[in-house]
Each structure stands twice: as C-alpha cells, then as structure tokens.
Amino acid sequence: MTIPSASRYDRCPCTGRYERRTVEVRMTVEGMPVLLQEVEQGRCLLCGSRVYQAVVLEAVEDVMRARGLPQGHA
C-alpha cells in the first residue's frame, strides 16, 4: 500500500516551520506487527513537534483496518 504524500505543512504554533521528512511507523494489526515505510511527517525545526496531514492519517487508519495485508507490510 502506498501512503499518499501531503502537499505542505503550515507553521507550527511555536512560530517555527515544519520540515517535511519520511519516517517508519510500527504498529500491531490483529496481533501482527506491521511496518510502514516512508510515511510523510512534518517536524518543527524549533520545538520538535511532529504532525501528519489528514490524508496520511487516513491511509494509516486504512492499513490498521485492513485484513489480509499484502506481502511486505509485516
């Protein structure tokens, strides 16, 4: 499954700017470990706050709800 890319991030409440980066997300789905690679995240350069765009969170939730995950996602 491909996690969609977010277009941009707004400013952080601390007045810093978010830097786009990709991270690994580890979770357990129906008792099985799942590793999502290259999930886009925004990280504030000043305070370190981390955020995800709604489209990215929706895709991650779809994986969490999925049954019979494709090969390569466990």
Side-chain angles (χ1 to χ4, degrees):
M1 171 177 200
T2 301
I3 303 293
S5 164
S7 58
R8 69 180 194 91
Y9 293 90
D10 291 326
R11 292 183 70 90
C12 181
C14 81
T15 70
R17 292 199 175 272
Y18 289 110
E19 170 185 66
R20 278 174 51 173
R21 65 187 195 153
T22 58
V23 296
E24 290 184 347
V25 175
R26 296 174 190 270
M27 66 178 95
T28 302
V29 178
E30 295 181 0
M32 300 293 296
V34 175
L35 172 64
L36 303 177
Q37 296 177 320
E38 298 186 28
V39 176
E40 190 172 305
Q41 176 190 79
R43 182 177 177 276
C44 178
L45 297 172
L46 284 180
C47 73
S49 172
R50 296 177 185 102
V51 296
Y52 296 91
Q53 293 284 336
V55 66
V56 173
L57 290 176
E58 289 168 2
V60 170
E61 287 175 354
D62 288 346
V63 170
M64 291 176 69
R65 285 189 214 103
R67 302 201 188 267
L69 292 169
Q71 290 286 335
H73 284 279

